[in-house]
């Protein structure tokens, strides 16, 4: 795989070029072996034609003609070949990130940008003292939330093959490796590539919720589980280096998941999947603890003739010998003089008892396991064992504190309409959904407080929700109180939507009212769950302060909030707001909502915490974490970050241990910076805000003019591969919420995914050009230039749009658009004109001649991929035409289309 001559070498990237070339050679060799020399030559011929087309500025027609009419099997193989090249490039770039990190650490003179050492150094230079920093650490709460929104559904077996390639490349960092060892590395890579080629990228059947859980569990129980202690060690070292401070670090990191709990629009999720997910997570983490304790038992071989041990450890050992006589009897006599090994062996027996539900000798909580480990750590430290095993014990303690017996907290989500349909049955009120909010609030208050109770109903929705809350009640007892995360209400629009959850939770027994509490005497129990309204559309974001105000004014809910520590969670929806109003109006709506909600919370005397529902693509809020947080409203972070991790983002951030550690360090560092030293107050910002209100309105108007145009939905369905995406086995959830009446019913993920596949990616920029043009006419270009230079919010937004524009190809998008027949003429010229307008104004405000002129590494990465993306896109156009001509019944063509979609997704990245 040779690089296009358009690309230029960048400093420090020579090893990356070597890895790309090395992998490319192995991929080519594998393709020739698996498909034959003629097949490999065909791949090379197409690739060279794609490079020429880019270099010489030719039209797409010539390249398209060479790819037209391929047999379905040939097209699928060609698409898979290019996708394999992408895999090679993606792996090489990830490994290069590991290499660069090691180079910084080896050099030692300058900390790696955005590392914890770099962040703490900057904070100290900005006047942050050690006491202030430690105080903030005690308030920090960082929680990535893994969701089942795959736009890149990769089998676990293929993930493991990729890790084998990564290990082989990382081994090559060692300059002392012999030629024989390098040859063996190549053999390992070649084996992974070859076996990967012979494995289908995804199962032919749609994944179940349990399949999705195993996919997410691969990252939680493998890379993440392993690197969590290293994050704390990195932070401790940075504190010591910068501030000469050594303190016990608080728990500042946890994880959560939606897999098995996200019921919104997914009939496959409910009480059974909630229980199954929690049980599976528990089994995963207990299995890891058993393995780690076995490792510690082999390590801690100290004998009582050589060292003393604490009395507390001897007492615990004697207690366990009595409680686990069978396990005690299994300890070899020759190990009887090894107190640490003996205790760990018995702890392992107790953990195995914990794996059996209801076993009387099992641990009742992870705190009990942590206490045992603390006894061992203290004894080691007290008797010269700090460097004889205490370090390893402390690492396991950190894992137990982070993952408990639940691995990750499980969030639950449901649409407010489903709650209302159940309440309509429980209240025997068929007009419930149409009643005024005030009326619904009044009716719900006694049920939400526990003063009254619903009669048991045989209505299907009511029974489903009863079972869900009953399962959550049981889960708290079985898996621990930390096992359950937030209850999220989709499409929340009023205080009644939140009170509905309290009422239904009591109905399901999550906080059952004792029989002694009579009607009207007041409920004596609390609902032990945090409820987060999700504001998704731009209008919902605008009305969010009024909704929260009404909620905080409600005495029943205020009593509930007091029982939850007076902290209110609010989830912000980046996806649906973008689909609703376009990227600029969405971003500004989210920014304004946070400011207004923070002011309201402060006045009400409560703490407000935001849960950011970001996706992988810029269209759905995807962004680099540091600029995203530093450009957020002042006070909106305040030590707390809860954010969704979705689709291919999970794989990119957490698929490799070193990169998972780097990502978590960047996240923690960004939270510290945004909390301790947020951006300074800017006097001009008041005027900028007024201008942004105008720009947002103009952008939304232009965007809605397109999507509300007659026949737009038909155009969307014919000018993009949405019909293929809907047939793909990507996830367990349907692609639309209800019947497909319009764009509003389509989920944001397939919406963005489809527009990305056709290379126009209108979801990431449409409307911005019109807004900037009208803004220049209304208040002057100089004001826009000033905002683009000095306002972090505006800078960050333009940077993200610039990346999206760089990934677009309007010539290829036009080829897709022509599939829409007569509708092509009605819509595509509007899209091209707006694209050119957006690009013109963005470059003008940035003072640049080319896109990504100030981001050469990103620009080069895109250029490197284009010769491989373009052929797959053009094949996709031809295949779509032929598949639709068969009434979408030709499965061979569908398989080829799916290969193209997967390949383009790997090539463009950040697609969903």
């Amino acid at each position: 795989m040779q690089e296009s001559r358009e690309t230029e070498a960048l400093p420090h990237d020579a090893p990356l070029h070597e890895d790309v070339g090395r992998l490319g050679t192995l991929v080519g060799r594998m393709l020739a072996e698996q498909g034959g020399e003629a097949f490999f030559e065909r791949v090379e011929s197409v690739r060279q034609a794609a490079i020429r087309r880019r270099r010489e500025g030719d039209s797409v027609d010539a390249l398209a003609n060479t790819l037209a009419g391929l047999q379905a099997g040939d097209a699928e193989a060609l698409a898979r070949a290019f996708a394999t090249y992408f895999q090679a490039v993606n792996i090489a770039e990830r490994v290069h990130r590991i290499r660069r990190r090691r180079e910084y650490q080896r050099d030692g003179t300058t900390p790696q940008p955005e590392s914890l050492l770099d962040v703490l150094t900057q904070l100290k230079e900005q006047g942050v003292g050690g006491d202030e920093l430690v105080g903030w650490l005690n308030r920090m709460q960082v929680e990535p939330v893994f969701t089942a929104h795959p736009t890149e559904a990769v089998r676990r077996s293929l993930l493991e093959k990729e890790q084998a390639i990564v290990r082989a490349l990382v081994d090559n960092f060692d300059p002392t490796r012999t030629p024989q060892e390098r040859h063996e590395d190549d053999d390992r890579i070649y084996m992974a590539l070859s076996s990967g080629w012979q494995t289908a990228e995804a199962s032919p059947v749609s994944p179940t919720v349990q399949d999705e859980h195993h996919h997410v569990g691969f990252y939680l129980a493998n890379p993440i589980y392993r690197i969590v202690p290293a994050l704390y060690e990195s932070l401790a070292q940075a504190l010591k280096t910068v501030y000469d401070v050594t303190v016990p670090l608080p728990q500042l990191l946890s994880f959560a998941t939606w897999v098995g709990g996200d019921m919104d629009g997914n009939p496959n999720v409910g009480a059974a999947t909630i229980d199954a997910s929690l049980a599976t997570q528990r089994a995963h983490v207990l299995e890891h603890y058993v393995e780690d304790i076995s490792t510690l038992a082999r390590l801690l071989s100290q004998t009582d003739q050589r060292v003393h041990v604490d009395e507390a450890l001897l007492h615990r050992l004697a207690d366990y010998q009595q409680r686990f006589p069978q396990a005690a009897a299994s300890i070899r006599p020759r190990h009887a003089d090894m107190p640490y090994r003996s205790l760990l062996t018995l702890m392992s027996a107790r953990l195995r008892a914990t794996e059996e539900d209801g076993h009387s000798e099992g641990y009742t909580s992870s705190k009990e396991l942590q206490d045992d480990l603390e006894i061992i750590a203290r004894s080691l430290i007290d008797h010269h064992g700090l460097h004889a095993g205490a370090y390893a014990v402390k690492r396991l303690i950190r894992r137990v504190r982070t993952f408990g017996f639940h691995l990750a907290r499980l969030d639950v989500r449901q649409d407010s309409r489903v709650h209302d349909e159940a309440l309509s049955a429980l209240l025997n009120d068929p007009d419930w959904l149409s009643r005024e909010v005030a009326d619904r609030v009044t009716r719900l208050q006694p049920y939400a407080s526990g003063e009254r109770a619903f009669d048991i109903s045989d209505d299907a929705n009511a029974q489903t929700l009863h079972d869900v809350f009953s399962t959550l009640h049981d889960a708290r007892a079985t898996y621990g109180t930390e096992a359950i995360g937030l209850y999220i209400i989709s499409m929340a629009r009023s205080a009644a939507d939140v009170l509905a959850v309290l009422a239904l939770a009591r109905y399901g027994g999550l906080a059952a009212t004792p029989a002694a509490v009579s009607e009207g005497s007041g409920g004596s129990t609390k609902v032990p769950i945090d409820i987060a309204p999700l504001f998704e559309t731009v209008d919902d974001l605008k009305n969010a302060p009024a909704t929260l105000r009404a909620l905080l004014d409600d005495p029943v809910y205020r009593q509930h909030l007091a029982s939850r520590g007076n902290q209110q969670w609010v989830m912000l929806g980046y996806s649906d707001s973008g689909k609703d109003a376009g990227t600029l109006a969405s971003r500004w709506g989210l920014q304004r909502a946070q400011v207004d909600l923070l002011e309201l919370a402060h006045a009400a005397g409560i703490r407000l915490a935001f849960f950011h529902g970001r996706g992988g693509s810029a269209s759905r809020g995807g962004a680099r974490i540091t600029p995203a947080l530093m450009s957020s409203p002042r006070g909106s972070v305040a030590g707390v970050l809860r954010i969704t991790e979705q689709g291919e983002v999970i794989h990119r951030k957490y698929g490799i241990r070193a990169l998972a550690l780097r990502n978590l360090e960047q996240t923690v560092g960004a939270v510290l910076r945004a909390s301790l030293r947020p951006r300074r107050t800017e006097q001009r910002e008041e005027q900028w805000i007024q201008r942004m209100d105008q720009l947002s309105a103009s952008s939304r108007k232009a965007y809605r003019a397109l999507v509300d145009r007659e026949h737009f939905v038909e155009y969307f369905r014919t000018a993009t591969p949405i019909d293929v995406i809907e047939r793909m086995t990507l996830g367990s959830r349907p692609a639309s919420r209800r019947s497909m009446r319009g764009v509003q019913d389509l989920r944001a993920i397939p919406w963005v995914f489809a527009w990305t596949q056709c290379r126009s990616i209108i979801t990431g920029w449409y409307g911005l050009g019109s807004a900037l043009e009208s803004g220049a006419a209304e208040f002057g270009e100089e004001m826009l230039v000033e905002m683009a230079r000095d306002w972090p919010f505006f800078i960050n937004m333009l940077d993200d749009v610039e990346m999206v524009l760089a990934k677009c190809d309007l010539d290829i998008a036009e080829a897709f658009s022509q599939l829409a027949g007569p509708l092509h003429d009605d819509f595509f010229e509007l899209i091209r004109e707006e694209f050119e307008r957006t690009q013109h104004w963005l470059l003008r405000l940035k003072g640049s001649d080319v896109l990504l002129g100030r981001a050469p590494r990103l620009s080069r990465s895109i250029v490197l991929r284009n010769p491989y993306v373009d052929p797959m896109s053009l094949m996709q156009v031809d295949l779509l035409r032929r598949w639709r001509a068969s009434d979408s019944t030709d499965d061979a063509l569908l398989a080829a289309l799916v290969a193209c979609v997967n390949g383009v997704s790997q090539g463009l990245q950040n697609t969903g």
Side-chain angles (χ1 to χ4, degrees):
M1 176 170 49
Q2 307 198 338
E3 300 173 23
S4 165
R5 284 183 291 178
E6 297 172 50
T7 62
E8 295 180 4
L10 297 171
H12 311 293
D13 281 353
L16 170 61
H17 303 161
E18 291 177 8
D19 281 350
V20 169
R22 179 183 180 188
L23 291 177
T25 298
L26 291 171
V27 168
R29 180 178 134 204
M30 181 273 294
L31 293 176
E33 180 183 90
Q34 298 294 319
E37 284 294 335
F39 172 63
F40 173 65
E41 290 172 4
R42 180 64 184 274
V43 172
E44 277 298 290
S45 173
V46 172
R47 188 179 70 86
Q48 291 297 335
I51 291 174
R52 284 195 302 274
R53 178 242 161 185
R54 285 278 175 176
R55 186 173 58 234
E56 298 171 10
D58 294 342
S59 74
V60 299
D61 295 341
L63 182 58
N65 289 337
T66 66
L67 297 166
L70 291 174
Q71 293 293 321
D74 293 339
E76 181 181 1
L78 196 58
R80 292 189 65 219
F82 284 120
T84 304
Y85 277 122
F86 283 134
Q87 180 191 22
V89 174
N90 292 342
I91 291 173
E93 289 185 341
R94 289 168 187 157
V95 168
H96 191 55
R97 290 182 59 196
I98 300 174
R99 180 185 291 111
R100 293 290 296 133
R101 177 180 175 84
R102 291 190 176 192
E103 287 173 354
Y104 275 108
Q105 292 172 335
R106 187 167 53 247
D107 177 64
T109 57
T110 304
Q112 185 177 16
E114 299 184 6
S115 66
L116 288 171
L117 182 59
D118 176 54
V119 168
L120 265 58
T121 300
Q122 289 186 51
L123 290 174
K124 186 175 183 180
E125 291 172 353
Q126 293 173 321
V128 174
D131 290 343
E132 182 184 5
L133 177 62
V134 171
W136 271 100
L137 288 176
N138 289 317
R139 298 166 56 183
M140 279 188 64
Q141 182 181 1
V142 176
E143 189 168 50
V145 182
F146 293 74
T147 71
H149 291 233
T151 52
E152 181 188 62
V154 181
R155 279 180 157 156
R156 180 167 182 159
S157 57
L158 293 177
L159 296 176
E160 291 168 348
K161 290 174 175 51
E162 180 178 298
Q163 290 189 337
I165 297 173
V166 169
R167 285 193 294 271
L169 292 176
V170 170
D171 286 346
N172 195 52
F173 291 174
D174 181 358
T176 67
R177 287 184 77 76
T178 66
Q180 176 63 28
E181 288 171 327
R182 279 184 57 88
H183 180 73
E184 291 171 356
D185 292 340
D186 284 349
D187 286 345
R188 288 157 57 197
I189 294 171
Y190 192 71
M191 180 172 63
L193 291 170
S194 299
S195 58
W197 177 262
Q198 296 177 355
T199 305
E201 288 77 8
S203 169
V205 298
S206 296
T208 65
V209 175
Q210 195 70 355
D211 291 332
E212 292 175 336
H213 180 270
H214 284 296
H215 183 76
V216 168
F218 173 84
Y219 301 97
L220 284 169
N222 288 287
I224 292 173
Y225 176 86
R226 290 297 167 198
I227 58 90
V228 159
L231 172 71
Y232 287 91
E233 291 155 12
S234 178
L235 178 57
Q237 183 60 48
L239 273 170
K240 178 65 176 175
T241 300
V242 178
Y243 287 97
D244 196 24
V245 168
T246 302
V247 294
L249 291 177
Q251 190 64 28
L252 50 83
L253 179 68
S254 59
F255 298 88
T257 177
W258 279 15
V259 181
D262 185 8
M263 301 179 289
D264 180 14
N266 192 345
N268 302 308
V269 177
T273 60
I274 290 172
D275 185 62
S277 290
L278 289 169
T280 302
Q281 289 177 188
R282 179 186 177 90
H284 280 328
V285 78
L286 289 178
E287 180 182 350
H288 276 298
Y289 293 157
V290 169
E291 292 174 357
D292 285 356
I293 283 178
S294 296
T295 300
L296 285 176
R298 292 192 296 271
L299 172 67
L300 301 181
S301 59
Q302 288 90 335
T303 56
D304 52 18
Q305 302 99 328
R306 296 288 184 183
V307 295
H308 295 291
V309 296
D310 286 353
E311 285 296 320
L313 187 141
L314 294 176
H315 289 152
R316 186 62 52 92
L317 176 58
D319 177 38
Y320 279 17
Q321 285 171 334
Q322 286 188 341
R323 293 170 64 180
F324 302 100
Q326 187 173 354
S330 70
I331 297 175
R332 296 177 182 179
R334 61 185 297 182
H335 294 161
D337 61 345
M338 298 178 179
Y340 295 119
R341 178 174 289 183
S342 296
L343 178 57
L344 286 162
T345 301
L346 297 173
M347 288 167 58
S348 181
R350 192 175 183 190
L351 270 175
R352 294 199 180 281
T354 308
E355 293 176 327
E356 303 176 27
D357 289 340
H359 198 296
S360 60
E361 295 295 348
Y363 286 106
T364 60
S365 70
S366 61
K367 182 63 168 60
E368 292 183 349
L369 173 60
Q370 184 181 325
D371 288 345
D372 281 353
L373 292 168
E374 294 280 7
I375 288 174
I376 295 173
R378 282 196 296 272
S379 180
L380 285 165
I381 293 170
D382 290 346
H383 300 286
H384 309 290
L386 179 63
H387 300 294
Y391 174 80
V393 176
K394 285 186 171 183
R395 293 198 109 198
L396 182 54
I397 290 171
R398 181 60 69 184
R399 291 190 180 110
V400 173
R401 291 181 65 184
T402 301
F403 300 105
F405 282 172
H406 58 279
L407 184 62
R409 297 204 299 161
L410 181 65
D411 283 358
V412 179
R413 180 171 74 138
Q414 185 54 282
D415 192 310
S416 62
R417 186 180 180 87
V418 175
H419 298 150
D420 282 333
E421 290 169 350
L423 289 168
S424 178
L426 290 169
L427 294 167
N428 194 25
D429 184 354
D431 298 324
W432 176 256
L433 276 75
S434 61
R435 294 196 182 280
E436 294 294 327
V437 170
D439 184 17
R440 283 187 285 149
V441 167
T442 301
R443 292 277 300 279
L444 285 171
Q445 283 175 329
Y447 297 99
S449 67
E451 293 178 7
R452 300 188 64 180
F454 294 119
D455 293 330
I456 296 297
S457 170
D458 59 4
D459 175 78
N461 277 333
Q463 185 60 50
T464 295
L465 288 166
H466 175 279
D467 292 346
V468 165
F469 285 108
S470 177
T471 298
L472 293 178
H473 173 269
D474 294 343
R476 285 172 53 82
T478 303
Y479 306 110
T481 58
E482 291 300 310
I484 307 301
L486 304 182
Y487 192 101
I488 299 144
I489 311 169
S490 297
M491 296 297 172
R493 295 191 170 108
S494 71
D497 291 335
V498 181
L499 290 178
V501 174
L502 281 179
L504 290 166
R506 290 184 179 278
Y507 174 64
L510 184 53
T513 304
V517 180
S518 61
E519 184 175 318
S521 66
S524 63
T525 58
K526 309 300 180 186
V527 175
I529 197 166
D530 292 313
I531 303 170
L534 166 55
F535 300 113
E536 300 181 75
T537 69
V538 168
D539 286 340
D540 289 346
L541 289 166
K542 185 176 181 180
N543 296 327
T547 300
L548 184 61
R549 184 179 297 108
L551 194 59
L552 295 179
D553 287 342
D554 185 273
V556 173
Y557 187 74
R558 199 58 187 262
Q559 186 177 22
H560 166 75
L561 199 62
S563 74
R564 305 303 298 168
N566 279 316
Q567 176 172 275
Q568 175 63 51
W569 283 95
V570 166
M571 185 171 180
L572 302 172
Y574 291 70
S575 301
D576 279 282
S577 59
K579 178 167 68 73
D580 170 54
T583 189
L584 177 58
S586 167
R587 290 204 175 198
W588 186 236
L590 289 158
Q591 190 87 349
R592 289 300 301 264
Q594 290 177 75
V595 171
D596 294 342
L597 289 169
L598 284 167
E599 291 178 355
L600 176 62
H602 180 73
I606 68 159
R607 288 176 290 119
L608 191 64
F610 292 111
F611 177 15
H612 299 272
R614 293 180 180 268
S617 65
S619 306
R620 298 182 50 242
R624 289 182 58 241
I625 191 65
T626 298
L629 294 190
M630 294 307 294
S631 63
S632 62
R634 299 173 191 86
S636 62
V637 179
V640 177
L641 179 68
R642 201 172 200 265
I643 186 169
T644 54
E645 301 282 28
Q646 305 179 6
E648 76 277 1
V649 171
I650 297 176
H651 182 53
R652 192 175 69 249
K653 288 184 176 180
Y654 301 100
I656 301 172
R657 289 186 191 180
L659 298 188
L661 176 59
R662 168 68 170 159
N663 174 69
L664 290 175
E665 283 190 359
Q666 288 176 303
T667 301
V668 170
V671 172
L672 283 171
R673 285 186 60 192
S675 300
L676 277 87
R677 290 297 182 268
R679 54 194 173 87
R680 295 180 179 178
T681 302
E682 168 60 69
Q683 293 181 346
R684 297 170 293 174
E685 196 162 332
E686 185 174 344
Q687 187 178 25
W688 292 342
I689 289 171
Q690 295 174 0
R691 300 311 184 203
M692 270 305 306
D693 286 338
Q694 296 172 261
L695 293 173
S696 174
S698 297
S699 178
R700 185 180 187 183
K701 181 180 178 181
Y703 177 83
R704 292 306 312 186
L706 176 71
V707 300
D708 290 338
R709 191 179 177 91
E710 189 177 6
H711 302 303
F712 176 78
V713 172
E714 182 182 351
Y715 175 72
F716 165 67
R717 295 198 65 82
T718 51
T720 75
I722 183 61
D723 45 349
V724 175
I725 292 168
E726 290 170 341
R727 294 275 291 272
M728 291 173 69
T729 57
L730 286 175
S732 67
R733 190 166 64 169
S736 59
R737 284 190 168 90
R738 305 178 186 95
S739 60
M740 184 61 188
R741 299 187 307 271
V743 170
Q744 69 274 12
D745 288 330
L746 188 74
R747 290 196 174 275
I749 294 170
W751 164 256
V752 173
F753 198 22
W755 286 113
T756 303
Q757 284 288 319
C758 75
R759 308 289 294 277
S760 64
I761 326 182
I762 66 169
T763 54
W765 54 265
Y766 199 95
L768 176 61
S770 293
L772 295 176
E773 186 173 77
S774 66
E778 290 179 37
F779 46 81
E781 183 177 339
E782 185 177 344
M783 172 66 71
L784 292 173
V785 171
E786 179 183 277
M787 292 163 63
R789 183 188 63 233
D790 299 335
W791 192 15
F793 167 80
F794 203 58
I795 294 168
N796 192 39
M797 187 272 299
L798 291 179
D799 285 346
D800 288 343
V801 171
E802 184 179 21
M803 179 194 68
V804 174
L805 293 176
K807 292 185 176 183
C808 293
D809 188 312
L810 267 288
D811 292 336
I812 290 177
E814 184 173 18
F816 274 93
S817 181
Q818 288 167 349
L819 295 171
L823 293 178
H824 166 73
D825 294 332
D826 294 340
F827 287 95
F828 190 73
E829 197 56 37
L830 296 174
I831 292 173
R832 185 180 286 280
E833 288 176 358
E834 183 66 12
F835 177 87
E836 292 172 352
R837 186 181 297 115
T838 302
Q839 181 173 261
H840 166 78
W841 279 103
L842 186 143
L843 292 175
R844 190 159 174 163
L845 296 185
K846 283 177 163 279
S848 180
D849 296 327
V850 294
L851 292 172
L852 299 180
R854 299 174 186 172
R857 185 163 278 111
L858 176 57
S859 175
R860 187 179 182 285
S861 178
I862 293 173
V863 169
L864 183 63
R865 285 170 166 76
N866 281 332
Y868 306 95
V869 180
D870 295 351
M872 286 189 293
S873 293
L874 293 172
M875 277 195 297
Q876 195 177 151
V877 173
D878 178 63
L879 293 166
L880 266 175
R881 184 182 294 109
R882 292 156 57 192
W883 182 62
R884 289 169 179 171
S886 75
D887 291 330
S888 305
T889 60
D890 191 322
D891 290 341
L893 289 174
L894 177 61
L897 279 164
V898 169
C900 289
V901 169
N902 286 333
V904 171
S905 177
Q906 284 197 40
L908 294 180
Q909 302 186 308
N910 300 334
T911 57

